[in-house]
Amino acid sequence: AAGVIQSPRHLIKEKRETATLKCYPIPRHDTVYWYQQGPGQDPQFLISFYEKMQSDKGSIPDRFSAQQFSDYHSELNMSSLELGDSALYFCASSLEQGYYGYTFGSGTRLTVV
Amino acid sequence: AQKITQTQPGMFVQEKEAVTLDCTYDTSDPSYGLFWYKQPSSGEMIFLIYQGSYDQQNATEGRYSLNFQKARKSANLVISASQLGDSAMYFCAMREGSGGGADGLTFGKGTHLIIQP
């Protein structure tokens, strides 16, 4: 069965650079969520989109932005990267805004040096 | 206040024994969902089991069962006949509301389970 696809799997950036993470949800899933998991931490919810509109917002820094496109894939854009942004970034997708549960991608590991 | 509390940072268990991972939650919303995820050292987040607040019976999925005690706001994960491959971080998570609004999950701090041969 198709899963949630995230790219790239690994990314190394320097401080103050910009990074773009991509997420391709399971076909027919209409909702996408982004989470950030720092080293040894629990995942923190960043933002979600339902039918291409921003739906819920968590602890997302102002330097980050995201959108969901017409084909339902989503991109998380991070600017002015800081060392503290080094983390595992998960995308999850669901049907009907999570009523039937969530499927997570394998994550993108971002390292800021 | 923590919405999800996992009081066991780490656990060592002998192979083939049953394991109970504790999770308590805090919400005033009458409609909520509780999830357990497994995160191996490779990093992916694997869904294990789900319990809705209105579900009358405890959820079960193969070797996983959820001991749901609503009055105590407790949702413990039980793994029967543990295997070496069960060694991983386990996260309890909650969605408040019935699922509308694309609400994000709130996670606990996790329990690091190590199965010993």
Side-chain angles (χ1 to χ4, degrees):
Chain A
V4 177
I5 306 297
Q6 290 188 247
S7 68
R9 289 297 306 275
H10 302 274
L11 190 58
I12 300 175
K13 290 285 186 178
E14 295 190 353
K15 281 194 307 184
R16 294 180 288 278
E17 284 193 321
T18 296
T20 297
L21 309 186
K22 297 186 178 183
C23 170
Y24 297 86
I26 290 175
R28 293 186 294 112
H29 278 196
D30 51 21
T31 311
V32 167
Y33 311 78
W34 286 97
Y35 291 84
Q36 177 193 58
Q37 185 179 25
Q41 303 294 314
D42 53 296
Q44 296 291 317
F45 170 66
L46 294 177
I47 196 167
S48 63
F49 293 87
Y50 170 63
E51 285 291 346
K52 292 153 278 184
M53 299 286 288
Q54 182 183 308
S55 183
D56 193 18
K57 206 169 180 180
S59 50
I60 184 168
D62 292 340
R63 298 178 289 108
F64 293 9
S65 65
Q67 57 181 325
Q68 187 179 30
F69 294 86
S70 57
D71 64 351
Y72 293 95
H73 95 271
S74 178
E75 295 184 3
L76 177 66
N77 297 293
M78 299 176 284
S79 63
S80 303
L81 287 169
E82 302 173 356
L83 296 178
D85 296 329
S86 295
L88 188 56
Y89 289 83
F90 285 106
C91 171
S93 75
S94 72
L95 197 57
E96 296 288 337
Q97 301 181 78
Y99 183 80
Y100 297 104
Y102 311 81
T103 303
F104 281 75
S106 298
T108 292
R109 190 170 295 280
L110 172 67
T111 303
V112 181
V113 296
Chain B
Q2 285 284 340
K3 289 201 170 187
I4 296 286
T5 302
Q6 295 181 252
T7 57
Q8 306 150 309
M11 286 184 74
F12 289 87
V13 173
Q14 289 295 122
E15 192 181 6
K16 298 190 178 71
E17 287 185 351
V19 182
T20 297
L21 304 182
D22 296 340
C23 173
T24 57
Y25 59 93
D26 183 25
T27 181
S28 57
D29 197 320
S31 179
Y32 52 89
L34 297 159
F35 301 78
W36 276 93
Y37 285 89
K38 172 184 178 181
Q39 187 175 40
S41 56
S42 50
E44 69 266 33
M45 198 70 74
I46 301 167
F47 168 75
L48 296 178
I49 198 165
Y50 166 78
Q51 181 85 42
S53 59
Y54 295 119
D55 293 344
Q56 294 296 312
Q57 293 189 315
N58 287 346
T60 61
E61 289 283 351
R63 292 187 301 115
Y64 305 106
S65 61
L66 201 150
N67 184 2
F68 182 46
Q69 298 187 44
K70 195 170 182 177
R72 298 176 68 177
K73 294 190 174 180
S74 163
N76 297 340
L77 176 70
V78 180
I79 307 174
S80 63
S82 58
Q83 303 170 356
L84 296 178
D86 294 332
S87 295
M89 280 292 287
Y90 288 80
F91 289 99
C92 179
M94 177 172 66
R95 178 198 65 218
E96 292 175 279
S98 58
D103 303 317
L105 293 173
T106 301
F107 285 81
K109 298 296 182 189
T111 295
H112 190 192
L113 176 64
I114 297 174
I115 306 298
Q116 298 175 311

